[in-house]
Amino acid sequence: TMDIWIRNAVEVSGLKNLGSWVVREQRGKTSPSVHGTGRAVDLGFTGLKEGRKKCLALIDLLIANADVLGVELILDYTPKPFGRGWKADRGTWQRYEKPTISGAPGGRWIHVEVSPELLGNMRAVNQGWNDLRGIVPPTV
């Protein structure tokens, strides 16, 4: 089901899928990555015309519709000093003031984690994205 979520996110945003399911440790750490659970994706904008603008538009869309799309976490590697993270349970951004996520600052991608509950319901995944297509242009 995450593949469907990713396909929709890429179609709506114009960003690139840089990878989803892989069993590995978090970069620079010894704990497992959420990618190994099959509910995380890295979406990049390197080489895309107005790539960062498209990325920010997707971030805004994901946050505004986090409950419908099952978004639990967004990591944004670009901002200085050390990137930032948004969590659904917090409902706001946290700017990192020390090295926290590997690749920040300056990384040209975001990491998104989706709730296992949403991913367990393919109909809900499709319906969430289909509802958004009616209110956003195809390339955000």
Side-chain angles (χ1 to χ4, degrees):
T1 313
M2 188 64 182
D3 289 340
I4 294 167
W5 195 100
I6 294 166
R7 190 169 45 248
N8 280 288
V10 167
E11 183 180 303
V12 167
S13 69
L15 299 182
K16 299 175 185 177
N17 175 4
L18 300 183
S20 57
W21 188 84
V22 63
V23 177
R24 64 170 173 80
E25 293 176 346
Q26 294 179 36
R27 286 193 172 88
K29 299 181 180 179
T30 58
S31 53
S33 168
V34 176
H35 285 279
T37 68
R39 58 183 196 88
V41 65
D42 292 335
L43 299 168
F45 55 93
T46 297
L48 298 176
K49 184 176 181 180
E50 298 187 340
R52 180 65 178 163
K53 184 177 176 181
K54 290 177 181 180
C55 182
L56 292 172
L58 178 62
I59 287 172
D60 289 345
L61 178 77
L62 294 177
I63 290 172
N65 298 281
D67 54 338
V68 173
L69 299 176
V71 177
E72 292 184 334
L73 172 76
I74 301 170
L75 298 177
D76 184 0
Y77 296 81
T78 301
K80 293 180 181 179
F82 298 103
R84 63 185 182 153
W86 180 90
K87 285 186 173 184
D89 62 1
R90 184 173 59 219
T92 188
W93 285 101
Q94 177 182 358
R95 291 186 71 81
Y96 300 127
E97 299 299 325
K98 63 182 183 176
T100 304
I101 52 177
S102 184
R108 298 180 57 81
W109 74 93
I110 59 171
H111 169 93
V112 181
E113 295 178 9
V114 180
S115 77
E117 292 78 23
L118 179 83
L119 291 177
N121 184 344
M122 190 177 302
R123 175 175 275 165
V125 171
N126 284 323
Q127 190 61 52
W129 284 106
N130 287 338
D131 290 348
L132 291 176
R133 278 192 182 74
I135 61 170
V136 293
T139 58
V140 182

